[in-house]
Amino acid sequence: MIHFRRPRPARAALVALLALFLPACAEAPAPSAPVGAPAARDYSDHPAAYGTGQPPLRPPEQPPDRAPRKAHGDTYGEAKAPRARAGRAPVWRHGARGTAGGKRVALTFDADMMAGQHARADAGERFDNPGLIAALRELKVPATVFMTGTWAARYPDQARAIGRDPLFEVANHSYSHHAFAAPCHGLPEAGPGALRGEVERTFAELRRAGVPAPVPYFRFPGGCYDDEALRDLAPTGVTAVQWDVSSGDAFATDPAAVAEEVLTRVRPGSVVVLHVTRSAAPVTEEAVREIVPELRRRGYGFARVSELAAG
């Protein structure tokens, strides 16, 4: 027969402590991200266009909280009328949600081209999409086109034709399509204090191309911004225009999936982001030909950003 000795008080205390500690170790959760670590965000300008090759992200249903110096990116809640805080440019995301004045949405198209992509264009890559613009004219859809200065410099005839067509309005999308808040989905950073120069250079390039009256709206590359970027933007007198419906057209291969994404998420007052870049968004024209008739069937009309923002 085996006789067990009664544990001494000190030993008993140690046994009890181990009994509490070991289960806790077994069930310890994974360490949380450091405070201030960047969170993944949705954006419209697919990073694969710039060499990262990452798949597009779906917009979150509820955006995470953001620290004051983080890039704000996109939010998906109710937007208020554009209002500039002291020394900061206003930010506008969508129009009124009510239907009293009719259900209207704004289709917006980013004409993206980075300053370092001329060699790729020289080799035959197409950063334009004349077929898409022709489809919008055929369907009689007013739209707002956010052009980078590099795009306007590369395709001045198209920029001029779009800018002089009363169906469209042309807005500013920076010159180089570099990020003005980091991290921003793999986009290179523009550098401190560069935003104002990028905006002013783009307006000059648009006028040089023959766009007679670009509208005073600006879209951040990748949709990323912070308070410093808004302060840099304020002297230019523009309103930063975001969106509440990301079409997912960047590098999509199925136009029906792009159309479904828009048709599922659109609401009265929505601002939809798409692209006028054939190499980066090859099925956008086909998707638009599905989106427009279906939205009209549902009772929607179309407006440019300036009209939707006016109420």
Side-chain angles (χ1 to χ4, degrees):
M1 181 174 180
I2 300 174
H3 297 279
F4 293 95
R5 290 184 297 173
R6 180 176 299 175
R8 298 173 184 175
R11 184 179 297 172
L14 178 60
V15 170
L17 182 61
L18 288 173
L20 292 173
F21 179 73
L22 290 175
C25 290
E27 298 174 5
S32 58
V35 175
R41 294 183 302 278
D42 169 73
Y43 89 125
S44 68
D45 303 313
H46 194 290
Y50 316 106
T52 63
Q54 298 299 315
L57 302 174
R58 179 179 293 273
E61 294 301 329
Q62 295 182 343
D65 294 334
R66 307 185 194 279
R69 281 294 296 130
K70 277 190 181 179
H72 294 297
D74 310 309
T75 58
Y76 299 87
E78 290 296 321
K80 298 179 180 178
R83 183 184 62 185
R85 290 175 291 166
R88 294 171 175 82
V91 180
W92 185 81
R93 294 178 174 85
H94 61 69
R97 292 304 195 190
T99 60
K103 297 191 296 185
R104 296 192 302 170
V105 299
L107 299 186
T108 68
F109 297 85
D110 290 356
D112 295 345
M113 186 175 177
M114 296 181 72
Q117 292 180 327
H118 286 289
R120 287 166 56 177
D122 289 341
E125 186 170 349
R126 299 303 299 263
F127 296 90
D128 62 339
N129 194 339
L132 171 60
I133 299 300
L136 293 171
R137 290 186 173 120
E138 177 189 331
L139 295 167
K140 297 180 172 57
V141 178
T144 302
V145 181
F146 289 86
M147 290 184 190
T148 64
T150 305
W151 194 97
R154 185 76 192 189
Y155 305 108
D157 293 343
Q158 293 187 53
R160 179 170 57 253
I162 293 169
R164 294 183 177 182
D165 189 329
L167 196 62
F168 306 124
E169 62 187 8
V170 174
N172 195 309
H173 195 30
S174 83
Y175 188 84
S176 63
H177 203 270
H178 289 180
F180 293 99
C184 190
H185 324 289
L187 292 176
E189 293 184 51
L195 178 54
R196 180 174 179 177
E198 285 263 333
V199 173
E200 292 174 346
R201 185 180 180 186
T202 298
F203 277 130
E205 194 64 60
L206 293 174
R207 294 188 178 94
R208 188 177 297 114
V211 177
V215 292
Y217 298 122
F218 175 79
R219 175 161 285 164
F220 286 101
C224 303
Y225 66 94
D226 58 15
D227 284 345
E228 182 177 338
L230 294 179
R231 284 192 293 269
D232 287 347
L233 194 64
T236 68
V238 300
T239 294
V241 175
Q242 298 288 90
W243 59 86
D244 67 312
V245 177
S246 181
S247 67
D249 68 334
F251 287 88
T253 57
D254 183 0
V258 174
E260 181 180 4
E261 186 73 10
V262 173
L263 295 171
T264 299
R265 294 179 175 275
V266 75
R267 299 168 58 191
S270 280
V271 175
V272 182
V273 62
L274 300 117
H275 293 82
V276 190
T277 310
R278 214 182 321 174
S279 61
V283 300
T284 303
E285 178 189 342
E286 296 174 72
V288 164
R289 290 185 180 277
E290 294 185 37
I291 292 165
V292 170
E294 177 59 22
L295 285 179
R296 283 178 169 153
R297 188 189 69 80
R298 297 181 186 183
Y300 281 91
F302 298 93
R304 296 172 295 184
V305 164
S306 60
E307 296 160 338
L308 197 63

